[in-house]
PDB file of all heavy atoms in Angstrom:
ATOM      1  N   ILE A  21       8.473  -1.359  13.276  1.00  0.00           N
ATOM      2  CA  ILE A  21       7.657  -2.153  12.384  1.00  0.00           C
ATOM      3  C   ILE A  21       7.413  -1.460  11.003  1.00  0.00           C
ATOM      4  O   ILE A  21       7.491  -2.032   9.935  1.00  0.00           O
ATOM      5  CB  ILE A  21       6.340  -2.548  13.025  1.00  0.00           C
ATOM      6  CG1 ILE A  21       6.556  -3.602  14.190  1.00  0.00           C
ATOM      7  CG2 ILE A  21       5.284  -3.098  12.075  1.00  0.00           C
ATOM      8  CD1 ILE A  21       5.439  -4.001  14.949  1.00  0.00           C
ATOM      9  N   LEU A  22       7.192  -0.105  11.123  1.00  0.00           N
ATOM     10  CA  LEU A  22       6.890   0.576   9.821  1.00  0.00           C
ATOM     11  C   LEU A  22       8.129   0.704   9.016  1.00  0.00           C
ATOM     12  O   LEU A  22       8.066   0.681   7.745  1.00  0.00           O
ATOM     13  CB  LEU A  22       6.225   1.905  10.130  1.00  0.00           C
ATOM     14  CG  LEU A  22       4.794   1.791  10.708  1.00  0.00           C
ATOM     15  CD1 LEU A  22       4.276   3.218  11.011  1.00  0.00           C
ATOM     16  CD2 LEU A  22       3.846   1.122   9.739  1.00  0.00           C
ATOM     17  N   SER A  32       4.775   2.077   1.312  1.00  0.00           N
ATOM     18  CA  SER A  32       5.701   3.114   0.979  1.00  0.00           C
ATOM     19  C   SER A  32       5.040   4.409   1.195  1.00  0.00           C
ATOM     20  O   SER A  32       3.786   4.610   1.217  1.00  0.00           O
ATOM     21  CB  SER A  32       6.284   2.960  -0.450  1.00  0.00           C
ATOM     22  OG  SER A  32       5.241   2.566  -1.286  1.00  0.00           O
ATOM     23  N   PHE A  33       5.875   5.483   1.477  1.00  0.00           N
ATOM     24  CA  PHE A  33       5.375   6.802   1.834  1.00  0.00           C
ATOM     25  C   PHE A  33       5.931   7.843   0.847  1.00  0.00           C
ATOM     26  O   PHE A  33       7.116   7.826   0.594  1.00  0.00           O
ATOM     27  CB  PHE A  33       5.803   7.138   3.220  1.00  0.00           C
ATOM     28  CG  PHE A  33       5.394   6.064   4.273  1.00  0.00           C
ATOM     29  CD1 PHE A  33       6.302   5.247   4.865  1.00  0.00           C
ATOM     30  CD2 PHE A  33       4.053   5.853   4.519  1.00  0.00           C
ATOM     31  CE1 PHE A  33       5.915   4.309   5.821  1.00  0.00           C
ATOM     32  CE2 PHE A  33       3.603   4.904   5.415  1.00  0.00           C
ATOM     33  CZ  PHE A  33       4.538   4.139   6.073  1.00  0.00           C
ATOM     34  N   LYS A  87      -8.051   6.088  -2.150  1.00  0.00           N
ATOM     35  CA  LYS A  87      -8.929   6.757  -1.198  1.00  0.00           C
ATOM     36  C   LYS A  87      -8.287   8.025  -0.765  1.00  0.00           C
ATOM     37  O   LYS A  87      -7.094   8.044  -0.489  1.00  0.00           O
ATOM     38  CB  LYS A  87      -9.063   5.718   0.004  1.00  0.00           C
ATOM     39  CG  LYS A  87     -10.120   6.198   1.029  1.00  0.00           C
ATOM     40  CD  LYS A  87     -10.179   5.134   2.171  1.00  0.00           C
ATOM     41  CE  LYS A  87     -11.246   5.458   3.084  1.00  0.00           C
ATOM     42  NZ  LYS A  87     -12.610   5.333   2.557  1.00  0.00           N
ATOM     43  N   SER A  92      -9.866  16.219   9.844  1.00  0.00           N
ATOM     44  CA  SER A  92     -10.627  17.339  10.455  1.00  0.00           C
ATOM     45  C   SER A  92     -11.173  16.890  11.763  1.00  0.00           C
ATOM     46  O   SER A  92     -11.681  15.767  11.868  1.00  0.00           O
ATOM     47  CB  SER A  92     -11.811  17.658   9.464  1.00  0.00           C
ATOM     48  OG  SER A  92     -12.829  18.326  10.168  1.00  0.00           O
ATOM     49  N   TYR A 111      -7.691  -1.139  -1.340  1.00  0.00           N
ATOM     50  CA  TYR A 111      -7.177   0.212  -1.799  1.00  0.00           C
ATOM     51  C   TYR A 111      -5.665  -0.019  -2.000  1.00  0.00           C
ATOM     52  O   TYR A 111      -4.961  -0.606  -1.176  1.00  0.00           O
ATOM     53  CB  TYR A 111      -7.460   1.249  -0.722  1.00  0.00           C
ATOM     54  CG  TYR A 111      -8.879   1.725  -0.803  1.00  0.00           C
ATOM     55  CD1 TYR A 111      -9.812   1.196   0.104  1.00  0.00           C
ATOM     56  CD2 TYR A 111      -9.315   2.603  -1.737  1.00  0.00           C
ATOM     57  CE1 TYR A 111     -11.144   1.686   0.036  1.00  0.00           C
ATOM     58  CE2 TYR A 111     -10.649   3.046  -1.795  1.00  0.00           C
ATOM     59  CZ  TYR A 111     -11.545   2.551  -0.885  1.00  0.00           C
ATOM     60  OH  TYR A 111     -12.862   2.940  -1.005  1.00  0.00           O
ATOM     61  N   ASN A 141     -12.139  12.788  19.858  1.00  0.00           N
ATOM     62  CA  ASN A 141     -12.857  13.937  20.196  1.00  0.00           C
ATOM     63  C   ASN A 141     -11.975  15.009  20.995  1.00  0.00           C
ATOM     64  O   ASN A 141     -12.258  15.258  22.177  1.00  0.00           O
ATOM     65  CB  ASN A 141     -14.028  13.464  21.124  1.00  0.00           C
ATOM     66  CG  ASN A 141     -15.168  14.502  21.103  1.00  0.00           C
ATOM     67  OD1 ASN A 141     -15.159  15.438  20.284  1.00  0.00           O
ATOM     68  ND2 ASN A 141     -16.131  14.300  21.960  1.00  0.00           N
ATOM     69  N   GLY A 205      -1.287 -24.062  31.741  1.00  0.00           N
ATOM     70  CA  GLY A 205      -1.182 -24.818  30.520  1.00  0.00           C
ATOM     71  C   GLY A 205      -2.514 -25.280  29.919  1.00  0.00           C
ATOM     72  O   GLY A 205      -2.575 -25.894  28.879  1.00  0.00           O
ATOM     73  N   LYS A 214      -8.627 -14.816  29.223  1.00  0.00           N
ATOM     74  CA  LYS A 214      -8.296 -13.658  28.406  1.00  0.00           C
ATOM     75  C   LYS A 214      -9.480 -12.840  27.983  1.00  0.00           C
ATOM     76  O   LYS A 214      -9.386 -11.664  27.823  1.00  0.00           O
ATOM     77  CB  LYS A 214      -7.538 -14.125  27.143  1.00  0.00           C
ATOM     78  CG  LYS A 214      -6.156 -14.546  27.376  1.00  0.00           C
ATOM     79  CD  LYS A 214      -5.438 -14.910  26.072  1.00  0.00           C
ATOM     80  CE  LYS A 214      -3.968 -15.277  26.257  1.00  0.00           C
ATOM     81  NZ  LYS A 214      -3.327 -15.758  25.002  1.00  0.00           N
TER      82      LYS A 214
END
Side-chain angles (χ1 to χ4, degrees):
I21 289 177
L22 291 175
S32 40
F33 305 110
K87 187 178 185 69
S92 161
Y111 284 99
N141 202 8
K214 281 182 177 175

